[in-house]
Each structure stands twice: as C-alpha cells, then as structure tokens.
Amino acid sequence: MLPVFNNYIEGQWVEAKSGKTFPDVNPANTDETVGLFQSSGAEDVEAAFEAAVKAQPAWAALPAPRRGEYLFKAAEILESRLAKLGGEMTREEGKTLPESKGEVKRAINIFRYFGGEGARQFSYQIPSERENVFCYTLRKPLGVTGLITPWNFPSAIPAWKMAPALVAGNTVVIKPASLAPLSAYRLVEALHEAGLPAGVLNYVTGGGGAVGNAIVEHPALRALSFTGSCDVGNSLNAKLAARKVRSQFEMGGKNPTIVLKDADLDAAADILVNGAFFSTGQKCTACSRAIIEKAIYEPLVEKLMEKTKKLKVGNGLDPDVAMGPAVDANQLETDLRYIEIGEQEGARLLCGGNRLTGGPYDQGYFIEPTIFDGVTPEMRIAQEEIFGPVLSLMVASDFDDAMRLANGVKFGLSASIVSKDLTRVHQFINRIEAGLITVNLPTAGVEYQLPFGGTKESSFGMREQGPAALDFYTETRTVYLRYV
Ligand code: NAP
C-alpha cells in the first residue's frame, strides 16, 4: 500500500475534493513511488483561504515571541527526525543524502532563526521636529500570504518563506512543487505537532495551473512569495501588479564564475565542480558559465576535467555518489536538448553529454556531468538557463573582458570570482550584476541569516531570508504621539 498524504486545512489532514491523487516518484528509481498526494483544485484552495482568513485576527493578536515558540518547537521535532527526512528528500528529489540532510538542517536553522525574530521584529524610534512628540514605527502583518515553491530545495525554500510569514503574524496557504511535495509536508506536520492553531498554516498540493492559479487569483490574498521559473513568475507578477498585491519573485539564473590568472588552480577547479555539478546543477545559484583568463585556461581545464571525471553519478542514497539524477524526464530531456543545441552552435563537448544507461541507470534519469568549451557569448548555452549539470567554458582575454562576458546575460542571481588580487576582487564586487556575490567560493551555498535574491531578470521584489524577510512579510505603520 502506498502512503497517501493529505492536504492540511484548518488544522485537519483532508483529502482533495476531487478525490484524486498524484504520485511523487523517485527520480533515481522510477519503480518507487514515494507517496500519493492530493490532486487539489480551486475548491480546496477556497477552503484553505477561508480557514486562513478566519485564523488571521487571533494569530496577529498573539504576541510575536509566542508565535516564535511554535517555530522553536517545530525545529526540535524536525531535528529528532533529521535522518529520516533527509532520506525522504533524496528519494523524492534525487539529491545526495548529505545534500538532503544539510538542507533539512538548514530548514531547522531557519525555524530557529525566525523563532528568535518573534522577540526582535525591530522597528525605529526617530526624533520629531516638534516638542513632546514621540515618533516610531510599528510592524503589522499583511494578512493571508500565498507561498508557491519549486522542487529543487523542497524543504529549505518552503521553510524560508513560511517561518518569517508566520512569525510576523500572517496566516499562510502554501503550495509546494508537485515533483517534491513530501519535504514541505514534513515541515507542516512538525508545526501541527508543535500545536500551531488551526487555520494559521494551510498546505494544498496539486498542479500549478489549478492550485497555484487559484492562490494567485484569490481576492483575500495579501502577499505572494514565489520561487520558480521566469516564465511562471513573470506571468504571475503581471496578474498581481494590477491588483497591488505585495509580491516577490525569485527566478532563474545563468551564474558565472570568473577565474583570474593568479588563482590557485586546484581550488578553482574544486569551486567549479561544486558550483556546476552538485545537486545535478539543479540550483538556481548553480554555476553554468566558467569565464577563465586566457593565461591559465589550459592548465585549469585539465584539472577541471580530471576532477569531473571522478564524480560518481547514481542514486543519492549511495554514499559514494557525488551527483544524483535529473529530477524528472522533462528536466532530463531539457538537459539533453541543450547539449544538442550546444553542439549545433559549434561548442566543443569536452566531457559528458550523454544520458547514462545500463543496470540501475535504466531505472532513473541519470546524465553525465557535461563540459563545453569554445563557448561564445551569443550561443544559447551561454545565455539560457538549462538547470542541469552542463558547464560552459569561456575564455577571457583580461579582467575587463571577463566582466563583459559575466554581465552579458539577462540574469543576475549569483556570481563568483577566484582570485587573490584584492583590487580585482573589489572591482568585481563593484561591477558584477548579481544579487549574491561570492569570492573564492562557489556561486551556490548561501546562508539563511543573510538577505537572498538577485537582480535583472532573476528576481523581482524584496529580498528573502535574513532580516530582510520581515520587511516583506510586514507593513510599516508610522506613529506620531504627542504627550501633553
Ligand atoms: P516552475 O515550473 O516555475 O514551478 C514553480 C512553482 O510554481 C511550482 O510549485 C509550480 O507548480 C508552480 N506553478 C507552475 N505553473 C503555475 C501557474 N500557472 N500558476 C501558479 N503556480 C504555478 O519552477 P520549477 O521547475 O519548480 O523550479 C525550477 C526553477 O526555479 C528554475 O528556473 C530555478 O532557477 C528557479 N529557482 C529559483 C530560485 C531563486 O531563489 N531564485 C530558487 C530555486 C529555484 P507545479 O510543481 O505543480 O508545476
């Protein structure tokens, strides 16, 4: 019997009104269905909103430190289950077990961090021009917030949206990605067990078109936080802007790592391998372009190839595996299609490029880590997000050329540089068009206590995570109080 996971509405685990479910399939072993989830529609979203609207006033009135306590309790519950939840994430999303456990730990840290925000939620006291007038700001919750999340960080992203939304006094309707809904379910379950009042958090699974749209179109929606593709994000943004619903969109990337001629080549090769291939390149912050100064191009590429060829691809539950499968058949097909496009455009395949087949590979969506060289800026593989383990190598004649190449895309999520030249590093920080900037580190690997977000086509709206998150989930009220 397959486990069946229900929606969570008004504190109850309930089936979708359609009576239908959809499977959550293991991408490393498609014979395994991790569980069946509710195939919901607009009527289930309506019930979730009714519950959230009803719960809103009492939740907003509860002192914020007490709201934070629910997050602390849920963090403890999650910590006691870390190993189990890590295994489940690997089975539903495909990433390796250390990556999954690291992500669950990150969700726990996020709950603790925002639990602590219950006792902070700082605002300002600002002097008045007038005598005996005391001026300050207050933070107020927005109301019902809708959260729509992608499959690639199925625990961390729901956690970094729901924790600040809740501690700020909002109620929530969340729709996780259909490819990996179990990890978010576990967060909701922990908050339920922590005693969160009914209706404060509601979880509804189902297709983006049906459930996501119904959330976005609901008249009671006061804020939307979306992470996913540019196509979907931009279409939702167009709808919400007209209604003046506060919204934030975290979307795609085409993130560069620049390697300058003074770099430690071993360290640079490790940084590129980590950025491009960990999590199968399925991170919005993954490195998909290596921009290398001419003087070190050949020796660096040799080291990069050596390290890439050592990566073992397979089921993420195997401790020797460094790279799991693509998340599903569509993503695998996209990866392979872009590899074909790269070859047609005249880029040279240095390694990889193929679906892996034979033995256990036949049970999943496995692909080789792939490197192209001879990539020029106008090629589609240099411009478009692939979201797979495909790295494009580009030669830069000097630092200025490297900056031109790095900034020559529509995206601006993350970017890194490998160099010990402090002047160049500072120039890079100053000139790079990216929201997340790393130095002598991979493009991926951000921390929850700092603001997160991109620029250009990658992001729209306020930052997520860190202290910035509360700015999104609260509205500022300004008070002028004259005492007589
Ligand atoms: P996606 O297809 O855009 O889906 C994201 C979420 O939107 C899913 O829950 C999806 O539901 C839902 N959705 C789809 N169509 C919708 C619609 N018409 N109305 C409302 N909701 C809808 O993205 P994905 O494939 O899950 O994730 C990969 C993308 O996310 C990549 O582009 C990646 O760069 C981006 N990403 C960005 C960040 C960041 O912080 N910048 C982080 C992670 C990922 P279903 O799952 O049911 O289709």
Side-chain angles (χ1 to χ4, degrees), residues 22 147-153 157 160-161 175-180 205-216 224 226-233 235-236 239 249-255 282-286 327 331 385-387 411 413 436 452-454 458-459 464-465:
F22 66 90
L147 312 179
I148 299 182
T149 57
W151 47 264
N152 66 327
F153 285 102
I157 294 180
W160 84 49
K161 293 183 192 300
K175 184 209 116 48
S178 300
L179 286 173
T205 55
V211 176
N213 240 341
I215 290 176
V216 168
L224 180 86
F226 169 88
T227 301
S229 61
C230 289
D231 284 351
V232 175
S235 74
L236 302 187
K239 284 187 191 169
F249 299 90
E250 286 302 337
M251 301 175 285
K254 191 72 193 171
N255 311 302
Q282 297 174 146
K283 290 179 184 174
C284 52
T285 50
V327 74
Q331 186 58 54
E385 184 183 52
I386 302 172
F387 220 53
F411 298 104
L413 188 56
L436 303 161
F452 177 95
S458 290
S459 301
E464 298 201 80
Q465 304 193 69

Side-chain angles (χ1 to χ4, degrees), residues 370-420:
T370 298
I371 301 179
F372 275 112
D373 90 338
V375 178
T376 50
E378 71 291 348
M379 290 181 183
R380 287 182 63 192
I381 57 167
Q383 291 292 332
E384 297 173 20
E385 184 183 52
I386 302 172
F387 220 53
V390 183
L391 179 65
S392 291
L393 306 184
M394 302 168 93
V395 190
S397 53
D398 58 16
F399 175 73
D400 283 329
D401 191 33
M403 290 306 303
R404 182 184 60 84
L405 291 169
N407 285 335
V409 294
K410 67 179 181 177
F411 298 104
L413 188 56
S414 67
S416 77
I417 190 165
V418 189
S419 172
K420 295 191 202 89

